[in-house]
Amino acid sequence: MYFLTELNPDDFLPDSDASASAPAPLDARRCRVSSRCATKDRDSALVWEQIQALKGNDQEPAFKSLAYFVQIAQNGPPLTQHLDKKQVHEAHEFVSPASGKTEKVWRYRRGDIRILFYYGHDGILLLADLVAKRSDKLEKAVLNRAEQAVNEYLSAAKSNQVLSAG
């Protein structure tokens, strides 16, 4: 099974704010920023592990960058309508063995934080990787991880194995 959870703006509120009010309604046109989960528990989203793996001074900017990315995604696709080319653009393309087609990984940049994502099915923006970078060029290992994340998602989707983590 492949577990996926959608991140929404309320995920980034302080705990006291989140419990004080009902969740904000989500626009049906939105891009659904989603992270793979290790288990069916949405708290096992891999993006949280990626943020924790960053050096201490990069964790807060990564969290804030992800929160902003999720907020922008609420406006719907394509993100290039809402952000300039320096902030979001194609980062890598490859032929996927899962789909047999050329797939594209996109990059969102905010400060030193890079979020790699893939436009999936039904408005899903699959978070492929999140890294801190001091230079513009992405390392081959980062691109390989993004390819692997996209291939795993496509394989699971092809065999109807994608489940929502709750």
Side-chain angles (χ1 to χ4, degrees):
M1 290 283 127
Y2 184 99
F3 296 104
L4 198 61
T5 191
E6 180 181 356
L7 305 179
N8 64 63
D10 289 343
D11 291 332
F12 300 93
L13 294 174
D15 288 337
S16 59
D17 290 350
S19 61
S21 61
L26 299 173
D27 190 321
R29 297 172 297 133
R30 75 189 182 281
C31 291
R32 297 171 28 222
V33 178
S34 302
S35 177
R36 183 169 188 182
C37 295
T39 68
K40 63 182 176 180
D41 179 6
R42 78 182 307 266
D43 290 336
S44 71
L46 299 182
V47 71
W48 305 132
E49 290 179 21
Q50 291 168 341
I51 291 173
Q52 288 297 317
L54 297 174
K55 291 187 167 108
N57 59 340
D58 288 325
Q59 290 177 357
E60 184 177 345
F63 186 80
K64 287 180 178 180
S65 294
L66 182 59
Y68 185 71
F69 182 71
V70 169
Q71 188 67 43
I72 292 295
Q74 299 306 299
N75 296 316
L79 295 184
T80 53
Q81 286 183 336
H82 313 292
L83 299 164
D84 67 36
K85 283 187 176 185
K86 190 157 177 84
Q87 290 176 298
V88 65
H89 61 268
E90 291 178 26
H92 181 60
E93 61 179 42
F94 65 100
V95 176
S96 169
S99 70
K101 299 188 307 186
T102 299
E103 304 293 351
K104 296 178 183 178
V105 175
W106 291 72
R107 181 192 81 165
Y108 165 70
R109 173 185 175 177
R110 187 165 186 220
D112 290 337
I113 303 302
R114 308 296 187 269
I115 297 173
L116 298 178
F117 65 95
Y118 171 75
Y119 284 100
H121 311 300
D122 300 323
I124 289 176
L125 279 186
L126 178 71
L127 296 172
D129 206 352
L130 185 149
V131 295
K133 286 291 301 163
R134 307 297 184 245
S135 65
D136 216 25
K137 187 171 171 136
L138 291 168
E139 297 169 4
K140 186 70 176 159
V142 172
L143 297 175
N144 287 342
R145 285 195 308 265
E147 276 188 34
Q148 180 180 352
V150 171
N151 282 327
E152 289 171 357
Y153 166 75
L154 291 171
S155 292
K158 188 176 183 178
S159 60
N160 293 320
Q161 297 291 312
V162 178
L163 297 176
S164 180

